[in-house]
Amino acid sequence: MIIDGVLLAAGSGTRMRSPVPKVLSPVLGAPLLSYPYRALVRLHERVGAVHVVVPPGGLPGDRPLEAPGSVSPLYVVQERPDGTFGACEAVISSSAFLSGSSTHLLVLNGDGPLVDETLLESLVSLGEDRPGALVLTTAHLDDPTGYGRILRDPSGRVFAIREESAASASEKAIGEVNAGIYLIPRPILLEAAGRIAPDPRKGERYLTDLVARVVAQAGEVLTLSVSPEAMRGVNTQEELSLVTAVLRERINRLHMGRGVTLQDPLRTDIGPEVEIGPGTVILPQSFLEGRTRVGSSCRIGLGVHLLDTEVGDGAVLRDYVVASSAVIGPKAVVGPFAHLRPGTELGLEVHIGNFVETKKAVLGPGAKANHLSYLGDVTVGARTNIGAGTITCNYDGYEKFETVIGEDVFVGSDTQLVAPLIVGDGAVIAAGSTVVADLPPGALYLTRPSPELRPEGALRYHERRRERRKKNKRKESP
Ligand code: UD1
Ligand code: CA
């Protein structure tokens, strides 16, 4: 048995009332579609290829589905959104499918993110026992409204699926519904191609009509019963929030099982690709998404948001740290209220304090920038101290320039480093300096205008101010 996976993702999703295509709706930072995709890829020993059916023009975004494993998605365009059978036809007429040798298609709705690989494995093993059969998944729902109903004859054999729009009152009362996950033998699909008529009401060609066709030809239709939760689809924003809650719980439980402490798992969002080491403690309202990897025994404070960020063992991220595409070294201490932008690389035991923003900033081991700074396009050597209020002036309104600061440098508070600039090892820059030219190693640099001290000058200053104010008031009143 050789299986190709198929994800149906070309529908318009009008019930979401959003300009974002439904299958790209974000769930814990990952597109909705990536969840069933991941379930398929996890069957990788059995699934040769995954075809993703998309609307003309494809799905927006440069990489809507990043491949977590060795299977990359094969995008197939469905020229017209003429129904779920139309979507499967697009697959079976694609060159990737025709040149492949799969015996079965494992078809999943792209809007069902709660399907897991255990369910898919059961479906596949049923198919292995009966390779010629069309295998459906069904669930019993208290409220089956909107789903295709499973019609069975008196002996219990399935003979059709009836969509909501075509169902009679008695059919609508049936609680067993089509879960939207199918294992279909290749010959069944090839035979039906071009032969499924559009539904007269909606004009769509339904994949579910395949069932009646197979039955009419004395073929075998089997069903696998699944839980109502596993099949939950997303058609509205409210349903999107419901599946998000289920996935949040699943993912968080997994991390807790691996020794991660989540102070409040209901208020912690962790994306499906995120890795976290044991002994790490995460406070509420944090959001770890994308390819974020957190080491062991780290502490993640309140409201920390990490995207595609790597955090070394034992690092401490205090409250309200925001980081994207950054690397935070082992035992680094960051925040509270720090903003690490792409290209930030903090070495071992680096300290970044409150209201510090970094961008393309590489800080060597033990370097510190503890207060109120902007560090952009900069390299900072080991043990260098960046004083409060230091700014790298990296932009002249046209181009960006780099600053290179050596090891063991002391940058005094309120310094402006005007790039391009090189500061040699061991240099000392006095507070309040504006540095516009390179400093050799070991240099001391000061920017000090000659100071002026006027004893009691402040008194005279205030007198003058008061007199001027009086004069102005007299002018105003008639
Ligand atoms: C579908 C099933 C229904 C089942 C339900 C389970 C059909 C006709 N009906 O209904 O029996 O109970 O799923 O959730 O299949 N899509 C395309 N191209 C299209 C139309 C849809 O790729 O032309 C994709 C959509 O993006 C979506 C999936 O197919 O991911 C299902 O489409 P949707 O319109 O949501 O079908 P339902 O009405 O939910
Ligand atoms: Ca649906």
Side-chain angles (χ1 to χ4, degrees), residues 200-329:
R201 292 162 207 80
K202 299 227 159 159
E204 291 191 5
R205 292 178 303 138
Y206 293 153
L207 177 58
T208 46
D209 283 346
L210 206 54
V211 174
R213 187 171 181 87
V214 169
V215 171
Q217 292 167 354
E220 192 177 14
V221 178
L222 298 175
T223 59
L224 174 72
S225 177
V226 303
S227 72
E229 186 184 271
M231 65 155 292
R232 192 176 275 169
V234 172
N235 296 306
T236 62
Q237 297 289 346
E238 199 185 332
E239 286 168 339
L240 183 67
S241 77
L242 292 174
V243 301
T244 301
V246 174
L247 288 163
R248 178 188 295 119
E249 202 200 320
R250 271 191 203 171
I251 293 172
N252 288 356
R253 208 189 299 136
L254 206 75
H255 289 293
M256 290 189 283
R258 293 175 184 159
V260 177
T261 303
L262 301 180
Q263 257 187 18
D264 186 349
L266 291 177
R267 291 189 294 150
T268 306
D269 283 0
I270 301 174
E273 295 291 316
V274 172
E275 293 169 25
I276 309 171
T280 288
V281 177
I282 303 182
L283 270 60
Q285 308 285 4
S286 287
F287 183 15
L288 279 50
E289 60 170 323
R291 304 255 158 188
T292 292
R293 287 208 313 262
V294 178
S296 54
S297 303
C298 294
R299 190 180 161 82
I300 310 286
L302 285 171
V304 170
H305 188 176
L306 305 178
L307 168 67
D308 297 335
T309 288
E310 204 176 299
V311 181
D313 294 345
V316 175
L317 274 56
R318 298 198 171 119
D319 301 347
Y320 306 107
V321 168
V322 175
S324 71
S325 302
V327 178
I328 299 171

Side-chain angles (χ1 to χ4, degrees), residues 7-13 15 22-23 32-33 53-55 78 80-88 108-112 144 146-150 161-164 177-182 202 204-209 231-235:
L7 274 178
L8 306 183
S12 45
R15 286 168 281 179
K22 172 166 79 176
V23 293
L32 183 62
L33 184 62
V53 186
V54 295
Q78 183 184 0
R80 280 171 298 122
D82 62 348
T84 43
F85 189 76
C88 289
L108 272 62
N109 282 353
D111 63 356
Y147 291 99
R149 308 300 202 283
I150 302 296
I161 297 176
R162 189 78 76 236
E163 292 304 312
E164 174 91 18
V177 303
N178 168 25
I181 305 159
Y182 322 80
K202 299 227 159 159
E204 291 191 5
R205 292 178 303 138
Y206 293 153
L207 177 58
T208 46
D209 283 346
M231 65 155 292
R232 192 176 275 169
V234 172
N235 296 306

